[in-house]
Amino acid sequence: FSRSIFRWGLPLPFDLSDVFFVWFDALIYYLTATGVVAILRDPSSAEARAFDEKWSSVFHIIGKDISRFHCVFWPAMLMSMELPLPKGVFAHGFVQLKGEKISKSTGNIVTPDDVIKVTGPDAFRYYLLAENSFAGDAAFSWESLMLKNNADLSNDFGNLVNRSISMTRKYFPEEGLLPPKKLTHSQKIVDSFQRLVGELRGALAEVDPSVYAKACTQRSRELNLYIDETKPWALAKDPSKREELAEVLYTLLEGIRWIATGLTPILPFNMPKVFQQLEVKAPLASGSLVALKWAEVPEYRPGAPSPIFARIELPEGLS
């Protein structure tokens, strides 16, 4: 756990010819960042109790190349200090380009900045998490990124938001949408969304972002199919179907709110735009999934819709 081949670093107190391996310093940052100094000063203080609360939920998500340090060195350090070990360590794979390791020396490289200039941060983040298995190596290509963004974000979810808000504003320009008194068309949709939270929490427990994302996009596709099946434009032509039309549109907006809540951790920059257009409060940073309740919005009066995700065209020279 020490190095004698160089001189920079903290010397070992019992052998000044060696210095601590840099990973000792690096791992200690976890403790200092969460406030371990408070325990050293006063174990009974509020700050010390706050450290205990934070430390009890520590779960490391790391790259597979540093698993040795987190699974051997770090537990030994914590055990020597009689501190609880992390709840778990999850080592994810690498991102590969053209089937090979990304490498500056070989020229096989694309940087996050290169991608974000084309896609923005959210679409890039969604692609990396939704397209690949988090436990294995991920394959990156410009073409698959473009297809994933255009299919899932622009076509499915973005179009769903735009259509639903536009129809609501068109068919209910003066009055708000209230929760339906009875479910005529939407029970199947409500049942599906009631299962969503459990699916998302299960994916989080398994550290599987792709399953998490797919659970959300599945609901987006269900709502698009729901529009095709219920045909709100046809219901709007029949005054006797006014209540059914309101039920359909409320179901769409409420489903969008749930999907946007679920996607917020993956799409933190774009999902606030959805809540703004729905004119409802955005979820809190934590606990928002557990707090979700169907039909808890007392009235929907959405604002003017605008595109959430633009379609991406592949720039020349990229593949």
Side-chain angles (χ1 to χ4, degrees):
F1 205 48
S2 63
R3 293 291 184 270
S4 58
I5 58 175
F6 43 73
R7 301 306 328 134
W8 59 268
L10 296 173
L12 295 183
F14 51 84
D15 185 351
L16 299 181
S17 66
D18 276 19
V19 296
F20 278 106
F21 188 20
V22 67
W23 270 98
F24 181 86
D25 294 346
L27 292 165
I28 285 291
Y29 290 155
Y30 291 136
L31 289 170
T32 55
T34 47
V36 73
V37 175
I39 286 184
L40 303 179
R41 290 174 178 164
D42 181 2
S44 63
S45 67
E47 291 81 5
R49 291 194 297 273
F51 168 80
D52 286 336
E53 184 177 344
K54 292 176 185 176
W55 200 252
S56 66
S57 59
V58 165
F59 187 100
H60 291 302
I61 299 179
I62 60 172
K64 63 181 181 180
D65 54 331
I66 57 174
S67 59
R68 177 165 63 102
F69 310 113
H70 286 78
C71 296
V72 179
F73 293 175
W74 185 225
M77 292 166 61
L78 292 174
M79 291 167 71
S80 73
M81 293 181 281
E82 297 183 352
L83 287 173
L85 301 184
K87 293 175 68 176
V89 178
F90 187 98
H92 60 73
F94 295 149
V95 179
Q96 296 183 338
L97 180 63
K98 299 177 182 178
E100 299 178 357
K101 183 180 179 181
I102 292 178
S103 169
K104 287 183 179 180
S105 59
T106 63
N108 188 49
I109 188 169
V110 60
T111 71
D113 287 341
D114 294 334
V115 181
I116 290 172
K117 287 177 184 177
V118 177
T119 66
D122 272 6
F124 184 32
R125 180 197 305 255
Y126 177 82
Y127 167 73
L128 289 177
L129 294 177
E131 181 73 358
N132 301 282
S133 168
F134 201 52
D137 290 338
F140 173 87
S141 77
W142 285 102
E143 184 177 8
S144 62
L145 186 155
M146 176 192 68
L147 292 173
K148 192 68 173 175
N149 173 84
N150 292 351
D152 290 5
L153 301 182
S154 180
N155 290 357
D156 277 352
F157 186 64
N159 193 38
L160 169 68
V161 175
N162 194 283
R163 292 172 76 191
S164 302
I165 292 178
S166 296
M167 287 189 294
T168 300
R169 289 170 60 85
K170 178 179 179 180
Y171 300 138
F172 291 84
E174 303 296 334
E175 55 187 301
L177 285 177
L178 305 178
K181 297 178 181 178
K182 62 177 181 177
L183 300 182
T184 305
H185 296 285
S186 57
Q187 186 64 60
K188 183 179 177 181
I189 294 293
V190 174
D191 292 343
S192 176
F193 275 88
Q194 298 288 15
R195 296 190 297 271
L196 176 60
V197 172
E199 293 176 22
L200 296 181
R201 296 180 73 181
L204 289 175
E206 296 295 325
V207 196
D208 198 333
S210 63
V211 170
Y212 184 104
K214 287 172 184 173
C216 293
T217 54
Q218 176 191 337
R219 268 59 182 198
S220 179
R221 290 172 184 140
E222 286 178 6
L223 290 181
N224 278 309
L225 181 61
Y226 178 66
I227 292 175
D228 295 337
E229 291 174 345
T230 57
K231 298 179 173 57
W233 52 89
L235 294 174
K237 295 178 181 178
D238 186 347
S240 67
K241 302 288 187 180
R242 187 78 172 164
E243 190 172 320
E244 294 178 36
L245 175 62
E247 175 196 349
V248 169
L249 295 176
Y250 185 95
T251 299
L252 291 171
L253 299 184
E254 184 70 344
I256 289 169
R257 182 178 73 89
W258 276 53
I259 296 170
T261 301
L263 286 176
T264 292
I266 300 178
L267 305 169
F269 297 100
N270 285 59
M271 288 305 96
K273 300 175 185 177
V274 177
F275 297 109
Q276 288 173 359
Q277 292 183 30
L278 292 176
E279 295 197 358
V280 297
K281 290 182 179 180
L284 299 174
S286 62
S288 53
L289 286 179
V290 178
L292 273 173
K293 293 180 177 59
W294 188 265
E296 67 178 333
V297 175
E299 183 180 35
Y300 275 110
R301 289 180 179 270
S306 61
I308 303 296
F309 291 99
R311 290 180 60 82
I312 296 174
E313 301 298 332
L314 196 63
E316 289 188 24
L318 297 180
S319 60

